[in-house]
Amino acid sequence: MKKYVVKRIVQMVPVLILVSIFSFMIIHLAPGDPLNMYIRQDMTQQEIDDLREDLGLDGTVVEQYFAWLREICRGNFGNSVINHQPVAAQIFEKLPATILLMGTAFLLSLLGSIPLGLWSGMKKNKLADQVVSVLSYIGISIPSFWLALMLIIVFALNLHLLPSNGMRTVGSDSVIDVLQHLILPSIVLSVGNMAVFTRYIRSNTISQLEEEYVLTAKAKGVPRRKIMTGHVLKNCLLPVITLAGMNLASLVTGSFIIESVFGWPGMGTLGMSAINSRDYPMIMGFTMLSCVILIIGNFLADLLYGVADPRIKQEVKRHRES
């Protein structure tokens, strides 16, 4: 296992380098110049050149990339060109709120999709299956920002049941208050993944119910509930594990819009501000963090594969012995 972990970590390095190169080039080759936000009409050319050097915008794109890479290797993620504060400190300050939102949304998507997918697969082509399928297609197709606005209008403005923005009510530090603020954004962020997971679990449930081991268990009189939870569910979770690992990064990027709509004080609001102001160091910080989360998600998915299917552990063991 240690060799496998080390091997995967080594494989992460070229992926991170390639992502950093393409991201840096795309960001810096985009039209516009962030220096224009700081230039005043009374500034001389020398002052403009000095300002460009202070902001790290002097030299070619390649020179800027290697200068940025050298600082990264030293553990310095640079300073924001907007507020001149360290990028890493600002991101890690906002990271806990985003992790709370992402984790809750991810948990909701799993808790909702597993029973719905199994139930839909068991009721193939029946009314329950058709209802779940229609709801899944709606969940996949519906724009998250529109759903967020509709939930705010219904539950916050009309019914006054839940808060519409922020993470806490002014003057309140209770956990219940945070949970109340968390309900709407986590639901919106979980709908898309829940719909996708439900479709995959339904499809795999249908195929697993036609396997010989299920038919044999039914012939022996094993209760259907035990068949579904003890055998079918494990095999249905394998593709969901892969999707879950791949969708961790999409939760980060999706939270940008959701956090902006709900005023959630996480990385999303900070990221949108950086994009609008062309804050290159901050944008690169978010990009690399999303890449790391995606890689870690895939790595955890590989480990969970062995937990869900012991045959994979045995295959890896035989491969090492040979």
Side-chain angles (χ1 to χ4, degrees):
M1 179 60 70
K2 291 182 178 180
K3 291 182 178 180
Y4 175 74
V5 173
V6 172
K7 180 180 178 182
R8 289 300 304 268
I9 293 176
V10 172
Q11 292 175 346
M12 293 179 187
V13 176
V15 175
L16 290 172
I17 293 176
L18 288 175
V19 170
S20 67
I21 292 174
F22 286 112
S23 301
F24 196 92
M25 296 301 175
I26 291 173
I27 293 173
H28 282 70
L29 293 177
D33 189 347
L35 190 67
N36 295 331
M37 302 179 61
Y38 300 93
I39 296 178
R40 302 188 308 271
Q41 293 183 352
D42 59 342
M43 295 180 66
T44 63
Q45 185 61 42
Q46 183 61 41
E47 291 175 334
I48 294 175
D49 294 338
D50 294 340
L51 180 60
R52 183 180 296 275
E53 183 177 355
D54 292 338
L55 296 176
L57 300 175
D58 57 323
T60 64
V61 176
V62 177
E63 292 173 344
Q64 292 181 43
Y65 171 77
F66 281 106
W68 173 82
L69 189 61
R70 284 193 298 269
E71 295 298 322
I72 292 296
C73 293
R74 297 171 183 169
N76 180 18
F77 291 84
N79 295 328
S80 169
V81 299
I82 303 302
N83 53 28
H84 307 290
Q85 298 298 316
V87 169
Q90 295 184 71
I91 290 179
F92 287 116
E93 180 184 358
K94 301 291 185 179
L95 187 58
T98 297
I99 290 178
L100 175 62
L101 177 59
M102 287 172 49
T104 305
F106 186 71
L107 183 61
L108 286 177
S109 63
L110 290 179
L111 293 178
S113 61
I114 292 175
L116 285 176
L118 291 174
W119 187 42
S120 181
M122 291 173 56
K123 304 293 184 180
K124 178 183 176 182
N125 296 330
K126 295 182 180 179
L127 178 61
D129 180 32
Q130 294 175 359
V131 172
V132 173
S133 296
V134 170
L135 293 177
S136 298
Y137 287 127
I138 293 175
I140 294 173
S141 306
I142 191 170
S144 58
F145 69 90
W146 182 86
L147 178 61
L149 293 175
M150 292 301 102
L151 292 182
I152 289 175
I153 292 173
V154 173
F155 292 98
L157 299 181
N158 292 337
L159 300 179
H160 303 286
L161 295 176
L162 296 170
S164 61
N165 65 351
M167 184 176 175
R168 291 184 176 88
T169 302
V170 177
S172 176
D173 293 329
S174 66
V175 177
I176 296 178
D177 182 64
V178 175
L179 293 177
Q180 289 177 340
H181 285 79
L182 184 62
I183 292 175
L184 292 183
S186 61
I187 289 176
V188 175
L189 194 57
S190 67
V191 165
N193 284 334
M194 186 185 300
V196 174
F197 293 167
T198 300
R199 296 300 301 170
Y200 272 87
I201 294 175
R202 173 193 177 274
S203 176
N204 280 273
T205 299
I206 293 174
S207 63
Q208 291 298 318
L209 289 175
E210 298 174 353
E211 294 290 333
E212 292 183 359
Y213 75 92
V214 175
L215 300 178
T216 302
K218 288 181 179 179
K220 291 181 178 180
V222 179
R224 168 168 282 196
R225 182 176 181 180
K226 186 175 181 180
I227 295 175
M228 297 299 297
T229 57
H231 302 285
V232 175
L233 179 59
K234 283 187 176 181
N235 292 327
C236 291
L237 288 180
L238 292 178
V240 176
I241 291 174
T242 303
L243 286 173
M246 296 176 62
N247 285 351
L248 284 180
S250 67
L251 286 175
V252 177
T253 56
S255 68
F256 277 32
I257 299 175
I258 303 305
E259 289 183 7
S260 299
V261 174
F262 286 98
W264 188 263
M267 296 195 313
T269 53
L270 188 63
M272 292 299 295
S273 175
I275 293 172
N276 293 330
S277 58
R278 298 179 64 87
D279 191 346
Y280 292 163
M282 186 67 70
I283 295 174
M284 284 300 301
F286 279 111
T287 303
M288 298 310 299
L289 178 61
S290 300
C291 179
V292 170
I293 291 176
L294 177 59
I295 293 174
I296 293 176
N298 289 330
F299 174 67
L300 294 177
D302 291 340
L303 296 180
L304 290 175
Y305 254 64
V307 176
D309 191 348
R311 294 173 299 178
I312 297 177
K313 286 184 178 179
Q314 296 174 2
E315 183 65 28
V316 173
K317 184 177 180 180
R318 287 196 300 267
H319 179 71
R320 288 201 302 263
E321 292 175 353
S322 61

